[in-house]
Every structure is written in structure tokens, then in C-alpha cells.
Amino acid sequence: EIVMTQSPATLSVSPGERVALSCRASQSVSSDLAWYQHKPGQPPRLLVYGASTRATGIPARFSGSGSGTEFTLTINSLQSEDFAVYYCQQYHQWPPFTFGPGTTVDI
Amino acid sequence: VQLVQSGAELKKPGESLKISCLASGYTFNKYWIGWVRHLPGRGLQWMGMIDPGDSDARYSPSFEGHVSISADRSINTAYLQWSSLRASDTAIYFCVRFATMTRLFYDYWGQGSLVTVSS
């Protein structure tokens, strides 16, 4: 099973700041990496797939990068609606598909 | 595209349960449907998936033998079923649609079904 780790666990930031969230895989997942945003009371939302491709309707301030075992989700000019938990997920090797433990972005 | 899940359930340990996910807005049998468990404070876990076209189901080793996934193409509905619930099954369960058969991330999510198992 591929183990995903994320850092930091929690990030306290102010609106307008730029943040970089890290995701690491225990072995190479090539570019088979997705990022999801999860807000309380809502289902998660797909942000990025293929490590760097924004999903439909996702604002340009979200960008993904990386390949192999190291990935980053960058949010430029954080908006109030961006405060949420962010998960990475690998879909390179399964079963099982595996998620990271999440990074909470809060004020 | 919409995935609409059944409502919240309160069950006792040992009871059985079947929750549903009604798909609309696309051809149901052309996309895998999966189930993801959310334990607040503990993240997301992929449980398994099914090809509605032929009902081929695959499971995470962590859940195999404890849950069953099925689908009814005639009513565009996927199911997640337990024959004997445990308190540790208390969680929110999401159904998800895989983007394609080769791009195995989730482009649509149901609203979630809260399952509470308590004596």
C-alpha cells in the first residue's frame, strides 16, 4: 500500500497570503496525484488531478506541481472561502487508493 | 451530474444496513462508482468501487469482508451494505464517481450519508 503523508498538519494564515501545502508518497506515483478541498458539512471537491491540471471551474489561484514522490499545492492570495482541509490522493497503484491525512488551512 | 445519497441512519451494533447513491445526468454504466469513508478528524479512506456495467466490485483490504458494494443499473443506483454493524462504523460515507476508467480520481461526490452505530 502506498502511504501518503502531508505537511504541515495545520497552517494558520491570513487572507491574501500565499500558501504551499506539501504531499509525499512512500513510493513513486508518477503524476497520478489529485488534490481535494473539504469544508465542514460539504462533500470534498476536486481541485487538481494529474498533479498539475486544475479541475473544471477551479480558480487560477490554485496550482499543483510535482511528480514521483513529492507534490505541492499552492494557493495564491488566499480568499476567505479557501479555509478548509486539503487532501492529496494517489491513484497510481490500487487497491487501495490512498489519501493523505490532510492539511487544515485556518485563520 | 448528481449523486444523491440516502439519509442519516441510527443503528445498533450487529444490525444490518444498506445505504444508496442515486446517479443522474450521465450514463450510469460507463463510470465506476466508489465509496469513501470520512472519520472527522481522521481523514478519508477509500473503501471500494464497482463497475455498474457488469457489477464487478473491488475492495480495499481494510474493508473487504465487512462491507458489500452493489449496483442496480435499472435505477441508476449504487449501494454500500453491512450485514453486521460495529460501533467503529460510525462515520460519514460518500459515494464518488471516477472521472474515467483510466483516470481514477473522483470528479463528483455525493452529499454524504451519516451512519451512527450505538447501543
Side-chain angles (χ1 to χ4, degrees), chain A residues 1 34 36 38 41-46 48-50 87 89-91 94-101, chain B residues 32 36 38 42-46 49 58-62 94 98 102-107 109-111:
Chain A
E1 172 177 327
Y36 301 90
H38 193 194
Q42 298 181 22
R45 175 174 71 149
L46 176 68
V48 168
Y49 61 90
Y87 295 99
Q89 178 233 338
Q90 68 82 20
Y91 51 95
W94 60 278
F97 301 101
T98 46
F99 292 88
Chain B
W32 288 75
V36 174
H38 175 48
R42 294 192 56 188
L44 303 169
Q45 286 180 284
W46 177 76
M49 65 196 198
R58 314 284 179 89
Y59 297 91
S60 165
S62 298
F94 294 101
F98 284 74
T102 55
R103 299 197 302 174
L104 301 174
F105 50 88
Y106 317 132
D107 57 357
W109 294 64
Q111 84 276 19

Side-chain angles (χ1 to χ4, degrees), chain A residues 4-51:
Chain A
M4 308 300 291
T5 56
Q6 292 184 242
S7 61
T10 303
L11 201 53
S12 296
V13 296
S14 300
E17 290 188 11
R18 177 176 178 271
V19 298
L21 313 182
S22 176
C23 172
R24 179 174 293 177
S26 60
Q27 62 191 79
S28 176
V29 299
S30 186
S31 294
D32 297 330
L33 191 286
W35 289 93
Y36 301 90
Q37 177 192 64
H38 193 194
K39 298 179 183 179
Q42 298 181 22
R45 175 174 71 149
L46 176 68
L47 296 176
V48 168
Y49 61 90

